[in-house]
Amino acid sequence: MTMNAASYSSVVSHSAFRSLDTKLSPSSSGIPSLIRVTCHSDCNKSTSQASLLLCRSSNNGWKGMLGGASSWDTLPRRNLIGQTSYSVSTTTYGGVAIESPSHIAEEKVGVLLLNLGGPETLNDVQPFLFNLFADPDIIRLPRLFQFLQRPLAKLISVLRAPKSKEGYAAIGGGSPLRKITDDQALALKEALDAKGLSSNVYIGMRYWYPFTEEAVHQIKRDGITRLVVLPLYPQFSISTTGSSIRVLQHMFREDASLSKLPVSIINSWYQRQGYIKSMADLIEKELQSFSEPKEAMIFFSAHGVPVSYVEDAGDPYRDQMEECIYLIMQELKARGINNEHTLAYQSRVGPVQWLKPYTDETLVELGQKGVRSLLAVPVSFVSEHIETLEEIDMEYRELALESGIKNWGRVPALGLTPSFITDLADAVIEALPSAKAMYASTSTSEEEHDLLRYLVKMFFGSILAFILFLSPRMITAFRNLI
């Protein structure tokens, strides 16, 4: 399979953004939020425990500010202050003029980075898990039972928290994802500056501070006039990029000014040459750490999703992941690297069927087949976090060695790899010209119809819920889930 340069940027226009309404559940979150990245303000203006404004001297990152009525009542509140803005002059990229004439001094370009988020302390673990399982794109309940989402999330998060705390304790007491994403945001801003594009770079985490909702509120306050949304997930999945987009859909649909904001969403970017070459560079380098580099099997471990996401909901994740592996291996073969490789999926939870083969089972099978050298490649992740530092580096490494694999290596996440950051900057610039307003105003009749439909579902769902909870099968499923 070959791809030309034009195919490397996968940009979702406003019409494609609207089309996701038919596939993704409506947002259940009501959190107002705030976050941004800048180097043009005084970092000492923050009144929080950490710095609001990301500068080179900031080591602790920053927390978000919750304002108004919040349905996420398990979360602590952080209060921050500070203001920053940028202007953009007339710039042309690849023959396409970005609509920011020099006489319009207030034109501002924003870039919103989306990521998962992670608990920064052990006390954050349970509320973080609650946010995770309260997401209808993570636990997909039938519509009649969606009102049970939060009670179920509360139950699961309380029961799973002790085990999860052990994992986070093993990697230092919290997730490094926020600090790494801070650094990536700053590096991206500097790369865009170097290419002649001044911008505000914002961070929106899905399940912990700084929340996606926070970033959107700050984007509005800063008067951004053109926005590029860049998920830090190479491949699209309903449970990652799709979930964050659902939050954006809800906010932009309900806000008259946001609905008119020109936006481009980079839906996935696993097929970009810059990403493929960056991954190949890391793999090639790590292979040299083996005494016999040609004998090492390249073991791609991707985050799994339930099979139902792919087969029932049309999630393109599996296809994109397989294509991604193909492209990386083609690049390696072009460099004379012809090692054997395989792909498996990690991090499954609950009683449902997930994408196969499973990472743990595959490691055992490879050891039994006589594989002695293995290089693990965390292909779903561009930042180190618990699934690389604890699950792969500790759990899977130990399992591999116990299964007969003698030589273990692991490719680091892309992180701040210069070629990777440069390619993200190129993706942003390529996406800017396609930015368009996403929504028209929602009519009153449509809102009334949606409310009536919701009340009917709640009534019948309540009746069926009591029947369901009395089912022994349901009780067994709960036990398997936790």
Side-chain angles (χ1 to χ4, degrees), residues 356-404:
K356 290 185 175 181
Y358 299 142
T359 293
D360 53 357
E361 294 178 358
T362 303
L363 288 173
V364 174
E365 292 173 2
L366 291 176
Q368 293 172 346
K369 291 178 180 179
V371 173
R372 293 297 174 259
S373 297
L374 185 143
L375 178 62
V377 183
V379 70
S380 298
F381 316 111
V382 299
S383 306
E384 303 291 356
H385 63 305
I386 193 167
E387 292 182 14
T388 60
L389 300 174
E390 195 273 337
E391 192 171 4
I392 294 179
D393 287 354
M394 297 180 187
E395 293 182 27
Y396 292 149
R397 180 181 181 275
E398 181 179 357
L399 178 60
L401 296 178
E402 290 175 351
S403 301

Side-chain angles (χ1 to χ4, degrees), residues 442-451:
T442 304
S443 67
T444 303
S445 61
E446 288 175 338
E447 292 175 351
E448 292 175 350
H449 177 72
D450 289 342
L451 177 61

